Amino acid sequence: GNSVTQMEGPVTLSEEAFLTINCTYTATGYPSLFWYVQYPGEGLQLLLKATKADDKGSNKGFEATYRKETTSFHLEKGSVQVSDSAVYFCALTLFSGGYNKLIFGAGTRLAVHP
Amino acid sequence: DTGVSQDPRHKITKRGQNVTFRCDPISEHNRLYWYRQTLGQGPEFLTYFQNEAQLEKSRLLSDRFSAERPKGSFSTLEIQRTEQGDSAMYLCASSSRPFSTDTQYFGPGTRLTVL
């Protein structure tokens, strides 16, 4: 079946540290891949997406590259800030039956301290 | 331009009571999704509407759950005879196109606590 696996948290970093959150997927067909972020007390927000192999999504200093050969979509940021503290969800969609439901990983909590 | 809105934001109820949640999608979006998120987990798909038609329901949606989208605008999700296992965050999302490349925009969610 289709699924997403992401690294368990929490991930605790100091400000300005390098961030990697691993995400791998299993899918039949050719999924689109997404990273959503959930800040405390808020809803899910799209962070970035990539729709085909070798595409790189980027936003707010975050990047992720769609790697078909390793079925991965790891999230990276060169220098994290305290304001990046949130839960990050990797997700995929597959167009099937006329619609595209999102399949999420379990989420990775990031805590950045000064 | 307003985003997806949900009401109420929080609901506390006693086991066995019925509850109803409302979702207002982005105005030009004709596709609407409901998801459920339990503590420490990612959201899981519940159901999908294209305009007023409910086209897909997850096995997670037992017969105590019913969703509607009259006139293809707002949607409601009702849970009858609530159980403690129904405690979760209920998320609504909308999109304008069905393609896998399209983005779903989420509301803030309704947090349900069943005592």
Side-chain angles (χ1 to χ4, degrees):
Chain A
N2 303 309
S3 65
V4 175
T5 302
Q6 54 184 112
M7 64 188 286
E8 290 188 20
V11 174
T12 304
L13 295 173
S14 298
E15 204 165 26
E16 299 183 3
F18 184 84
L19 168 70
T20 299
I21 301 178
N22 290 337
C23 171
T24 57
Y25 67 90
T26 301
T28 53
Y30 300 96
S32 291
L33 301 173
F34 301 78
W35 278 100
Y36 278 83
V37 59
Q38 190 171 38
Y39 297 102
E42 298 185 17
L44 285 166
Q45 300 175 25
L46 177 68
L47 182 59
L48 53 84
K49 71 178 185 183
T51 59
K52 61 182 186 298
D54 299 325
D55 267 3
K56 177 185 283 188
S58 61
N59 186 27
K60 299 181 181 180
F62 290 89
E63 293 183 339
T65 301
Y66 188 140
R67 300 288 188 198
K68 188 168 182 289
E69 64 277 11
T70 54
T71 63
S72 65
F73 192 55
H74 304 321
L75 182 68
E76 296 182 337
K77 187 176 185 183
S79 177
V80 292
Q81 306 300 311
V82 172
S83 57
D84 294 326
S85 298
V87 181
Y88 292 81
F89 292 93
C90 185
L92 66 83
T93 63
L94 283 165
F95 183 64
S96 174
Y99 74 101
N100 54 314
K101 67 180 181 184
L102 280 160
I103 297 170
F104 287 88
T108 303
R109 182 175 299 278
L110 170 65
V112 181
H113 56 85
Chain B
D1 176 37
T2 58
V4 178
S5 61
Q6 293 186 244
D7 184 69
R9 294 288 304 272
H10 303 274
K11 178 69 177 179
I12 300 173
T13 191
K14 293 182 179 179
R15 189 177 56 183
Q17 298 295 303
N18 298 344
V19 294
T20 300
F21 311 141
R22 176 181 171 124
C23 169
D24 287 90
I26 293 171
S27 59
E28 64 268 25
H29 286 183
N30 60 351
R31 286 164 172 81
L32 187 146
Y33 303 77
W34 284 97
Y35 294 83
R36 183 171 70 186
Q37 184 180 14
T38 54
L39 202 60
Q41 299 298 316
E44 295 175 289
F45 170 79
L46 290 179
T47 190
Y48 161 71
F49 288 86
Q50 181 176 321
N51 299 311
E52 67 276 6
Q54 186 176 20
L55 298 184
E56 181 70 22
K57 293 198 299 184
S58 161
R59 289 172 297 175
L60 293 174
L61 219 61
S62 75
D63 56 6
R64 296 184 299 105
F65 288 71
S66 63
E68 295 182 339
R69 193 182 181 197
K71 302 179 182 178
S73 56
F74 70 91
S75 176
T76 58
L77 178 67
E78 180 183 16
I79 309 174
Q80 296 183 326
R81 305 180 304 281
T82 53
E83 301 173 356
Q84 288 185 326
D86 298 330
S87 295
M89 177 77 86
Y90 290 85
L91 298 168
C92 176
S94 69
S95 70
S96 57
R97 299 177 301 173
F99 309 117
S100 64
T101 55
D102 197 25
T103 298
Q104 293 180 29
Y105 295 89
F106 282 82
T110 295
R111 181 170 295 283
L112 173 67
T113 302
V114 181
L115 302 176

